[in-house]
Amino acid sequence: MATISMFFGILIRMYLGKKDHNPPHIHAYFQNSKATFGIKNGEKVQGKLPKDKEKLVSAWIILHKEELLANWELAQNGELPFKIDPLK
C-alpha cells in the first residue's frame, strides 16, 4: 500500500496491483480510525473517521479527482502512484 498524501494527521493510501480491487477508492487513516472513500463521488464506503476528518477527506478527493483516477490506473498496473498535494 502506497501513501499518496498526508494532511491534518490523515494518511491517504492506495493498494497496488489489484486489478479486481474496484471500484476506484482510497483508504484514509487517522489515529486508530480508518475508512474507505470512493474516488468518483468522494463518499465514504466503509469504516469510520471523526466527522470533521471525513469532511476533509471528501473535500480533498473532490479537489483531486482526476489525479486520483490517474493514480488508480497506475496502482492497478502495479506501478507506484505519485504523491498528491495535501489540503492546506
Side-chain angles (χ1 to χ4, degrees):
M1 186 178 310
T3 300
I4 58 174
S5 195
M6 187 173 88
F7 49 89
F8 303 110
I10 304 165
L11 288 175
I12 306 294
R13 295 182 170 169
M14 192 176 280
Y15 282 106
L16 302 178
K18 303 243 182 179
K19 291 205 180 253
D20 59 346
H21 197 68
N22 280 309
H25 63 277
I26 55 96
H27 301 268
Y29 297 83
F30 178 76
Q31 296 177 351
N32 294 326
S33 303
K34 61 184 174 179
T36 304
F37 291 79
I39 293 173
K40 292 187 177 182
N41 59 15
E43 292 181 8
K44 184 179 69 172
V45 176
Q46 67 180 17
K48 187 167 178 96
L49 294 178
K51 282 290 184 200
D52 61 331
K53 303 304 182 194
E54 285 183 8
K55 289 179 183 178
L56 290 172
V57 172
S58 290
W60 179 82
I61 291 169
I62 290 166
L63 290 171
H64 297 284
K65 180 179 176 179
E66 296 304 317
E67 294 166 280
L68 286 164
L69 289 172
N71 264 351
W72 181 260
E73 290 301 317
L74 290 172
Q76 293 297 288
N77 292 318
E79 298 177 52
L80 195 61
F82 52 86
K83 302 287 184 191
I84 298 177
D85 288 338
L87 282 178
K88 297 176 185 175

